[in-house]
Amino acid sequence: MTLMGLVPAKRSDTERKIASGLRTGWIALGTLLGLIALSAALVLAFERALVVADDLARQDERQRVQRLLDRSMESAVGAQLGLINWNEAVMHAARAPSDRADMAWLDREFGTYAWQMFGSRDALLVGDSGTVIREWADGRPVQQSDGGELRQAIATLIGRSYASAGVLGDQHGWAAMAAGQRWPVERNRMPLPRWAGGLVRRNGQIGIITVASIVPDQVVGPIMARPAWFVSVRPFEAAQLASMRRDLLLPDLQLDRERPGAGNAIALRALDGRPIGWLRWTAKSPSPAILRSTGPMLWTWSLLFVGVLIGGIMVLRRSWWITRELLVSEAQARHNALHDAMSGLPNRVHAMQRLRQDLAICLGDAKAGDVFVGYVDLDGFKVINDTQGHHVGDELVRQVAIRLRQRMPESDFVARFGGDEFVVLRRAVGGRAMADELGNEIMAVFAEPFAISGAVLDVTCSCGISWGPAQSEDPGELLRRADIALYRAKQRGRARFRRYTRDMDASVKLRLELERELRRAVARDELSVAYQPIVTTASGEIVGVEALLRWQHPERGAIRPDLFVPIAEQGGVMIALGTWMLRRVFAQCRDWPDCDISVNLSPIQVMSGGFLATIAEIVAETGIDPARVVLEITEGVMLDRSEHVLGVLGELDRMGFRIALDDFGKGYSSLSYLRLFNFERIKIDRSFVSHVESDGDAKAILCTIAALGHSLRMKVVAEGVETETQRQLVQAAGCELVQGYLFWKPMPAEAMRDLLDAPTATPRLLRA
Ligand code: C2E
Ligand code: CA
Ligand code: CA
């Protein structure tokens, strides 16, 4: 009960621990995974930031290069300001297409000057419509020129300078021109030069082309309707590159004709948008610098991350380990609570749980049949334990457990209830027939002997069988009934099984009643003593008497000692009963004529603490001579606490009593008992004697026992001799004394006294 109460409490506690362990584990795992995901996101973001930083840096470089390129055109035009913002130039240009033109002035001021000052390999003076007025190559005039391949570019640029209002100087407003056009002007209404620039491929080289309108620097009448334009083409040269390198801090800036594979670059495009070359340089990447400056932080972070990761993994591992340990110990505790340590079989608690479950199933489903309970108890286990030692007993229990488990069908539930008790549960249909089948199967398990530490033990078992819900719906009651049936099997002579029947319950009830009545009987003097003579085998002469208890029940009549002595022993009445018996017998027989007086002692009496004092007191009280008394003990006495018992027997011997070994041949007779104590006589059991007639072996064994008894200087008494043949046979075997109905039946004390007193008393045998 306590165990059953304990197990679930313990389990829920453990379960709570397991659940919290698992929770911790999951939280740790979640945190760890979150951390890993977060770190991965952080690393990716950092990497992306580096890429973006690099990209921005490249873009910035490209913009700066592009801007410098644009600015270089503007500054090229700016350098020409003295040339294009000049009244004289306006006038010369205006006159140019006509004969009045001063070509020498134009050649000097435009062609030579531009070549020498700005390195213009090509210089042109063109009209507003794009017609070439004069062209110079490397400062020298080109005759009959129409601008050639530059014409298209010039026209485009002039168009652009109008459209995008590329103006040199600070524009303040507009001045109206002829034909509704407008011209940008300064604050002082002076016209500002328009301009545009671009790149061209010229003689296989990349050139910077600029066009700029020629405007007056002093107000002279209205602004001319259509200005002339100065065109300059300069090769994009090493010097230009070098200054760009310096200005942009790009030491390896280079001009490529082909599209470069690596590094940063911008395309140099002709006016029509075609790429005519590339400026390439090694991009400055900020990421290494970022990495360098954030390095220590990153390292610290990485270390922390690794630390946290390791810590997290350790926490996880530990929580996993703890949970596993708990699961194992929980399983272990559960197993221990439900199993028997010695045999490994399920224990009583487990079996009762199972029985309850099975019963519930059978109750719920009429077709499920019954649960059969086979209550098994080894026969004479105590004897084996006491004579062969506990290790043999334990080993036997283990072997029986193994055998039961192996031989009984797998679906049967085999449990050990403690000691030498086992229970087999089987769910089946078939009522009595199935009970018999189960009983026979259990008996068959014990058919072969057991081999234990070199010895071969022939062990049998008794078994009681009940089944429910047919016999009872209550598991406890079912077990009790199987136990009652087991008790009956034992009573019937062991090595058998009994099915439980209703009348068994009645007999149990009777037992309880008898036990109660027996207590009263001692007090009410319903008990008496009968005496049966013990005679010599040869002549039938009475040499002794055996005192036998008698109980005359007021209602039930005479009750046999075979029935009530065991009840007295089990019910705790035996000591009182035995003491009464000794007192009565010693008192009655004290004055009887010379003969031995045998009294039976129960093992319970012999082993009880105060026995020696009690018997000494009774001797003193009654005045009987212990030398006349033979105390009969059974083998049962020798089995328990033999050291103590041998001490008691020794003391009885010193007091002058003689000791007989009673019922020899019944039960677990072992010749070795004979050597344990110096018995005065052996009484060979009645059942043994009754076999002598039919069984040749019994006779031989009888002879052996008698011979052994004699060799140990013991008298040999044959009990229960009923026929003349038996008398002859036991005589032939060497038993010098007999006791049996053939001579006398037990008789009341007075009759016995008379018989002993009558000098002519003749046993029936001799009278016949
Ligand atoms: P036991 O000590 O073996 O006593 C002998 C029994 O055999 C007696 O039965 C006796 O009547 C019976 N008997 C004798 N000759 C024959 C015969 O030829 N044929 C048959 N069938 N039986 C014969 P009883 O008096 O019924 O006693 C039975 C058992 O009760 C005794 O067996 C003894 O074990 C026990 N008992 C009797 N009185 C006492 C007692 O005072 N104390 C104790 N502890 N046990 C007693
Ligand atoms: Ca006896
Ligand atoms: Ca006997």
Side-chain angles (χ1 to χ4, degrees):
M1 194 60 212
T2 34
L3 189 61
M4 288 170 95
L6 205 80
V7 176
K10 203 170 161 189
R11 206 169 67 198
S12 76
D13 191 42
T14 319
E15 268 171 1
R16 243 195 339 267
K17 278 191 202 158
I18 291 172
S20 102
L22 281 174
R23 220 168 23 240
T24 315
W26 283 120
I27 291 170
L29 185 67
T31 314
L32 211 65
L33 289 179
L35 198 76
I36 291 172
L38 208 72
S39 308
L42 217 68
V43 167
L44 284 177
F46 186 69
E47 206 195 325
R48 181 90 203 110
L50 289 182
V51 170
V52 168
D54 282 355
D55 273 358
L56 284 175
R58 278 158 188 255
Q59 210 178 318
D60 185 54
E61 278 175 349
R62 277 200 298 276
Q63 281 172 353
R64 272 162 51 214
V65 171
Q66 186 66 54
R67 205 168 136 64
L68 195 68
L69 205 60
D70 295 344
R71 286 285 297 278
S72 74
M73 290 183 204
E74 192 180 346
S75 61
V77 178
Q80 298 167 12
L81 200 61
L83 205 59
I84 56 176
N85 192 3
W86 187 18
N87 272 12
E88 237 172 299
V90 174
M91 275 159 23
H92 278 283
R95 272 202 297 263
S98 68
D99 298 340
R100 291 178 293 140
D102 182 352
M103 284 304 172
W105 189 93
L106 289 176
D107 288 347
R108 189 178 68 245
E109 296 301 333
F110 281 104
T112 313
Y113 187 80
W115 165 244
Q116 284 173 352
M117 293 309 289
F118 325 127
S120 303
R121 308 251 351 225
D122 294 290
L124 293 98
L125 189 66
V126 295
D128 198 43
S129 57
T131 48
V132 176
I133 298 167
R134 188 100 173 144
E135 179 178 356
W136 300 272
D138 293 343
R140 279 188 296 275
V142 179
Q143 302 303 322
Q144 302 296 315
S145 163
D146 63 351
E149 57 184 350
L150 291 174
R151 274 186 60 166
Q152 182 57 44
I154 291 165
T156 307
L157 286 175
I158 290 174
R160 259 186 216 176
S161 77
Y162 276 115
S164 61
V167 175
L168 206 62
D170 278 342
Q171 186 187 349
H172 186 257
W174 298 94
M177 271 172 59
Q181 282 189 314
R182 299 187 309 163
W183 195 267
V185 288
E186 275 185 301
R187 181 173 286 277
N188 54 10
R189 308 291 302 162
M190 285 298 292
L192 289 166
R194 290 179 185 267
W195 77 279
L199 297 169
V200 285
R201 193 174 274 285
R202 181 86 178 137
N203 306 326
Q205 275 191 315
I206 295 169
I208 299 175
I209 179 168
T210 53
V211 297
S213 62
I214 301 168
V215 293
D217 57 347
Q218 288 159 28
V219 187
V220 270
I223 294 168
M224 64 291 140
R226 301 173 76 80
W229 296 77
F230 178 69
V231 179
S232 154
V233 179
R234 275 193 303 156
F236 189 79
E237 278 172 334
Q240 183 124 17
L241 259 182
S243 92
M244 279 181 87
R245 282 182 194 133
R246 266 195 319 276
D247 290 355
L248 292 166
L249 299 171
L250 295 174
D252 63 345
L253 187 74
Q254 250 176 330
L255 183 64
D256 281 353
R257 284 180 176 256
E258 300 302 323
R259 174 189 279 276
N264 207 357
I266 57 162
L268 301 176
R269 292 179 191 281
L271 291 169
D272 56 7
R274 255 182 319 114
I276 48 174
W278 280 269
L279 277 177
R280 174 177 64 81
W281 65 96
T282 306
K284 275 200 203 119
S285 157
S287 53
I290 296 174
L291 275 175
R292 250 194 321 279
S293 66
T294 52
M297 273 178 277
L298 283 177
W299 270 112
T300 316
W301 182 84
S302 301
L303 281 176
L304 274 174
F305 177 74
V306 169
V308 169
L309 205 67
I310 290 172
I313 288 169
M314 270 160 65
V315 166
L316 261 182
R317 267 185 53 132
R318 177 132 185 90
S319 97
W320 177 79
W321 185 78
I322 288 173
T323 310
R324 209 188 58 137
E325 285 288 293
L326 278 170
L327 279 171
V328 167
S329 76
E330 145 94 349
Q332 188 67 48
R334 215 179 265 215
H335 182 91
N336 289 350
L338 296 178
H339 287 82
D340 165 55
M342 196 164 93
S343 65
L345 286 180
N347 61 13
R348 177 187 283 268
V349 176
H350 199 175
M352 290 310 280
Q353 277 180 4
R354 176 63 178 258
L355 179 56
R356 218 169 289 126
Q357 284 168 9
D358 282 359
L359 269 175
I361 292 171
C362 294
L363 279 167
D365 177 9
K367 286 199 211 89
D370 286 296
V371 197
F372 291 81
V373 181
Y375 207 127
V376 181
D377 185 288
L378 305 188
D379 295 329
F381 179 70
K382 205 165 162 34
V383 179
I384 293 165
N385 230 352
D386 292 343
T387 55
Q388 320 255 357
H390 286 282
H391 64 284
V392 175
D394 289 355
E395 184 55 29
L396 177 63
V397 166
R398 271 192 285 272
Q399 286 200 18
V400 169
I402 290 169
R403 243 198 230 181
L404 274 171
R405 192 53 283 172
Q406 281 175 351
R407 306 255 177 108
M408 298 309 283
E410 191 117 6
S411 53
D412 284 5
F413 186 89
V414 179
R416 179 177 177 228
F417 263 38
D420 58 336
E421 290 176 10
F422 296 86
V423 162
V424 179
L425 301 179
R426 171 179 296 181
R427 260 190 39 214
V429 282
R432 276 198 219 167
M434 178 44 77
D436 286 347
E437 196 179 315
L438 176 62
N440 284 320
E441 280 176 37
I442 291 172
M443 291 299 132
V445 168
F446 295 83
E448 299 115 57
F450 291 83
I452 292 164
S453 43
V456 175
L457 286 179
D458 241 322
V459 180
T460 57
C461 79
S462 303
C463 170
I465 298 171
S466 64
W467 59 100
Q471 292 189 334
S472 170
E473 295 178 2
D474 177 57
E477 177 60 18
L478 263 187
L479 203 70
R480 191 188 71 85
R481 293 187 174 191
D483 192 21
I484 290 171
L486 166 66
Y487 174 74
R488 289 304 284 262
K490 292 261 180 201
Q491 269 192 328
R492 285 291 165 99
R494 307 168 170 198
R496 68 197 64 212
F497 70 90
R498 305 297 290 175
R499 278 183 267 113
Y500 170 83
T501 51
R502 265 194 190 287
D503 56 290
M504 288 184 182
D505 238 357
S507 85
V508 169
K509 231 176 96 195
L510 177 70
R511 259 178 84 83
L512 289 172
E513 278 172 20
L514 282 182
E515 191 185 310
R516 207 172 48 239
E517 287 166 6
L518 194 57
R519 286 174 205 277
R520 273 208 307 257
V522 181
R524 291 184 186 173
D525 212 22
E526 285 167 18
L527 298 162
S528 62
V529 185
Y531 294 89
Q532 186 182 27
I534 297 168
V535 302
T536 57
T537 317
S539 64
E541 185 195 342
I542 299 174
V543 292
V545 294
E546 179 176 4
L548 295 161
L549 251 177
R550 289 293 175 263
W551 181 13
Q552 188 66 35
H553 192 281
E555 289 117 43
R556 300 183 201 270
I559 300 174
R560 292 155 33 85
D562 283 336
L563 182 65
F564 72 80
V565 167
I567 292 177
E569 283 175 340
Q570 281 164 31
V573 196
M574 195 59 228
I575 292 177
L577 202 58
T579 308
W580 176 90
M581 179 73 178
L582 284 170
R583 186 169 279 125
R584 172 63 62 92
V585 172
F586 287 3
Q588 274 181 343
C589 302
R590 191 191 52 208
D591 303 325
W592 285 6
D594 185 34
C595 74
D596 295 334
I597 294 146
S598 297
V599 189
N600 295 288
L601 292 182
S602 157
I604 304 273
Q605 275 176 285
V606 180
M607 287 182 300
S608 72
F611 178 65
L612 286 171
T614 308
I615 199 166
E617 191 187 304
I618 298 172
V619 167
E621 192 182 298
T622 56
I624 195 148
D625 177 9
R628 290 187 63 188
V629 179
V630 179
L631 297 172
E632 296 191 358
I633 61 156
T634 53
E635 288 166 336
V637 147
M638 308 300 295
L639 303 179
D640 290 294
R641 296 165 61 195
S642 32
E643 287 301 313
H644 171 72
V645 168
L646 286 176
V648 173
L649 295 184
E651 189 52 39
L652 290 172
D653 185 54
R654 270 187 290 284
M655 287 164 81
F657 293 109
R658 283 170 288 161
I659 313 289
L661 188 59
D662 200 1
D663 298 346
F664 197 82
K666 181 174 157 186
Y668 306 93
S669 312
S670 161
L671 295 175
S672 62
Y673 296 143
L674 294 177
R675 299 183 195 277
L676 279 178
F677 185 78
N678 185 22
F679 295 106
E680 192 256 349
R681 61 180 72 176
I682 325 165
K683 296 185 78 173
I684 297 171
D685 190 65
R686 177 154 53 87
S687 60
F688 209 77
V689 173
S690 63
H691 283 122
V692 164
E693 270 175 299
S694 53
D695 188 349
D697 286 348
K699 191 181 157 194
I701 295 166
L702 204 72
C703 293
T704 313
I705 296 169
L708 183 66
H710 289 145
S711 77
L712 294 166
R713 285 185 298 282
M714 295 172 185
K715 287 179 189 152
V716 180
V717 188
E719 289 186 311
V721 175
E722 293 182 348
T723 65
E724 175 56 22
T725 322
Q726 286 172 355
R727 189 198 65 82
Q728 284 170 4
L729 285 170
V730 299
Q731 185 177 24
C735 305
E736 62 264 54
L737 297 175
V738 285
Q739 186 181 352
Y741 293 174
L742 178 63
F743 299 90
W744 307 98
K745 286 198 166 182
M747 60 192 83
E750 301 76 43
M752 191 66 238
R753 168 95 217 224
D754 293 349
L755 186 61
L756 287 173
D757 281 342
T760 52
T762 343
R764 246 185 297 167
L765 171 73
L766 301 179
R767 271 180 294 168

